[in-house]
Amino acid sequence: MAGQTRSTDRGAAVILRHLTLPDGSRCDMRLGDGLIESTGQAGSFEDGEDFQGYLILPAPVEPHAHLDKAFSADQVPNPGGDLLGAVRGWLAHRPTMSEEDIALRAEKALWMYRAHGATMVRTHVDIGSDIDDIGLRALHAIRKLDGIQVVAFGANPLSGVEGARNRALLRAAIDAGADAIGACPALDPDPLGCIEAVLRIAADRVPLDMHVDESLDPDLCTLSLLAEVSAGFARQVVASHCVSLGMMPPDRVREIAGRVAAAGIAVVCLPQTNLYLQGRDHVTSPPRGLTAVRILRDAGVTVAAGGDNLQDPFNLMGRADPLETAALLILAGHDTPENAYAAVSDDARRAMGLPEVSLRPGSPADLLAIRATSPREAIATAHPERVVIRGGRIVARTTLKTDWPTS
C-alpha cells in the first residue's frame, strides 16, 4: 500500500545522510537557502534523516504535458485510437468543459507529477475561438501550487484572415501571463504563415513551444521551416514530437538536424503518446513513432523527453512519472539509461530554460531520492518509495508497505 503526502518540510537546513550517488559512492548532503550547501562522506554529518538505500538524483521535470486534458479518457471517445480521432473527439468535447472541471483535473495531475519527482511541469493549454481562454484561466487558478510553466496553445487556423481571432487570443494570453506560446503548423492551411504569425506574436517576449510534424509521413517537414524562419529569435524555441523525422532517410535527417542545431531549437520526444497514436494503419511491423533521437543528439541538438498526454483521448495510459518516459526511451528508442534519464532531467531543464541541477555544492536543491542503487535500476523498477525535494524543501514523500501473510 503506497501513501503520498503533500508536505512542505521547512527549516533552516535539511540534512540527508547515507545517500547513494549515481556512480555508486555514498555521501551526506546538507541543503539550505534552496541550494545544496555542502556534501561530505557518508555518516560524517550529525543529525539529519537516514537515506540508507536511496539513490539521489537531480530531480526530473516534465517538459510537455496537457493538464487541461488530463483524466478525460472516459469522457472523450476515440474509437480508432489515432491522432485525428483524438483531435476530433477533443474538439467536440472541450466547449462543454467548465473552468472548475479543468482546474480539478489539472491539480490532480500536477500532484501526481510532483509525487513522482517532477519539480516543474510545462503544460500546454488550449485556447481558441470556441473556448476562448477558459483553460488558461483554470491553469492560472492552480499556479499557487508553484512549479508550473503554462504554454498557450493556439487553435488553427492562425494564418490568414480566418486566423485573426486565434491570433488575438494568443496575444491576450501573453498579456495574461502565459510563459510561452505555441501552435501546430502542420494542421494550419498555411504552415509557414502559422509559424511566422506565432513568431510575430511572441515578438521576443516569450519562448515558443510548437507541436511539430506529429505524423509518420516523411514528406511532412515543418521542422525545417521552423528552423529556417526562427533563426535569430531571441528566446528559446522548442519543437515537440517531430515524428516524421524518424521516417526519413538518414542523410536527410542529418541535414535537417544540422539546421535545427544551428537555430538553437530544442526537440522534445514524446514516446508514450506517439507510440499509442502512430502506426495504427500498419497491420504488421508498425513504426515506433519516435523522432530521430540519436542523429539529433549527434548534431548537437538538445533532446528532451516528456510524457505528453495523461489518460485522455490522445493517450489512454500514463502515470505522470518521468521514469516511465525514460524507460520507454530505452525500450522503444534503444537509448542508454544515462541518456534517457538526462532527457527527463538535465536536457528537459535546458529546453524549459531552467538552471542546471547537479549534485554539487552551490547547485539548486531540486532532487529526487528513490529506493535504488543506480539510475538504471531506478528507471527499471520505478520504485514507489521516493522523496522529492524542491528548493531545498521536501515537497512529497511516498512510502510503501508490503505484507506477506502466512497461512
Side-chain angles (χ1 to χ4, degrees):
M1 179 175 62
Q4 297 171 357
T5 63
R6 302 177 184 179
S7 60
T8 53
D9 297 359
R10 298 176 183 274
V14 174
I15 298 174
L16 317 175
R17 305 178 72 237
H18 299 112
L19 295 161
T20 300
L21 293 166
D23 64 3
S25 62
R26 297 168 66 222
C27 78
D28 290 357
M29 189 175 288
R30 182 191 305 272
L31 316 178
D33 295 325
L35 304 174
I36 298 175
E37 206 171 76
S38 59
T39 60
Q41 292 184 341
S44 62
F45 290 175
E46 296 182 359
D47 303 319
E49 183 175 350
D50 190 353
F51 277 81
Q52 185 82 29
Y54 278 84
L55 177 73
I56 191 75
L57 295 165
V61 292
E62 176 51 68
H64 188 116
H66 288 268
L67 298 186
D68 58 336
K69 297 180 174 70
F71 307 118
S72 62
D74 293 331
Q75 286 73 51
V76 187
N78 179 14
D82 61 352
L83 176 60
L84 290 181
V87 170
R88 284 192 294 266
W90 180 253
L91 290 178
H93 173 76
R94 71 182 191 180
T96 70
M97 298 185 303
S98 68
E99 183 177 333
E100 180 183 18
D101 167 55
I102 297 170
L104 286 172
R105 290 185 290 100
E107 183 173 350
K108 176 184 175 182
L110 183 63
W111 283 122
M112 286 181 65
Y113 279 113
R114 181 66 55 83
H116 285 127
T119 54
M120 180 67 73
V121 174
R122 173 175 281 193
T123 178
H124 297 253
V125 58
D126 289 6
I127 60 175
S129 56
D130 58 333
I131 54 168
D132 291 323
D133 63 349
I134 184 174
L136 192 66
R137 296 199 307 270
L139 267 294
H140 283 324
I142 69 168
R143 291 191 78 161
K144 62 182 183 295
L145 302 175
D146 204 6
I148 309 177
Q149 291 183 353
V150 176
V151 181
F153 183 39
N156 294 113
L158 279 167
S159 63
V161 174
E162 293 184 353
R165 172 62 176 156
N166 290 327
R167 294 195 297 272
L169 284 167
L170 272 184
R171 285 190 289 269
I174 297 175
D175 294 337
D179 299 290
I181 62 172
C184 186
L187 296 182
D188 196 280
D190 178 4
L192 178 59
C194 175
I195 295 170
E196 291 174 337
V198 175
L199 282 166
R200 284 194 300 270
I201 293 166
D204 295 340
R205 296 172 63 193
V206 294
L208 299 187
D209 196 326
M210 307 288 279
H211 286 57
V212 177
D213 301 338
E214 195 174 357
S215 167
L216 295 174
D217 180 0
D219 294 327
L220 181 65
C221 192
T222 57
L223 179 60
S224 185
L225 288 177
L226 181 63
E228 179 182 343
V229 300
S230 68
F233 182 67
R235 301 277 188 152
Q236 176 69 63
V237 177
V238 173
S240 296
H241 296 290
C242 304
V243 174
S244 68
L245 203 65
M247 301 298 292
M248 298 177 190
D251 287 348
R252 186 180 178 208
V253 176
R254 292 188 187 96
E255 178 189 355
I256 294 169
R259 292 184 213 158
V260 172
I265 296 172
V267 170
V268 179
C269 180
L270 301 164
Q272 184 167 135
T273 295
N274 285 133
L275 285 168
Y276 177 77
L277 291 172
Q278 303 296 325
R280 288 179 175 267
D281 55 345
H282 291 252
V283 178
T284 61
S285 303
R288 298 189 179 190
L290 305 184
T291 192
V293 171
R294 278 180 283 183
I295 294 179
L296 286 166
R297 278 206 198 112
D298 289 346
V301 176
T302 294
V303 180
D308 201 1
N309 297 86
L310 177 64
Q311 298 182 38
D312 66 25
F314 296 83
N315 175 22
L316 301 183
M317 299 291 104
R319 296 190 291 272
D321 187 352
L323 294 183
E324 186 176 26
T325 299
L328 287 170
L329 274 184
I330 296 167
L331 295 171
H334 296 161
D335 217 347
T336 66
E338 294 75 20
N339 283 342
Y341 191 76
V344 300
S345 57
D346 299 347
D347 297 326
R349 292 182 69 89
R350 194 172 301 116
M352 296 167 70
L354 299 172
E356 178 186 0
V357 172
S358 69
L359 301 176
R360 299 184 295 272
S363 168
D366 283 13
L367 306 167
L368 171 63
I370 180 171
R371 285 261 181 211
T373 59
S374 69
R376 182 210 57 78
E377 182 185 344
I379 297 169
T381 65
H383 201 289
E385 290 206 326
R386 308 183 195 191
V387 177
V388 184
I389 299 167
R390 185 173 190 272
R393 296 173 177 169
I394 295 175
V395 296
R397 184 191 298 267
T398 302
T399 57
L400 176 70
K401 178 183 177 182
T402 304
D403 291 325
W404 301 98
T406 57
S407 57

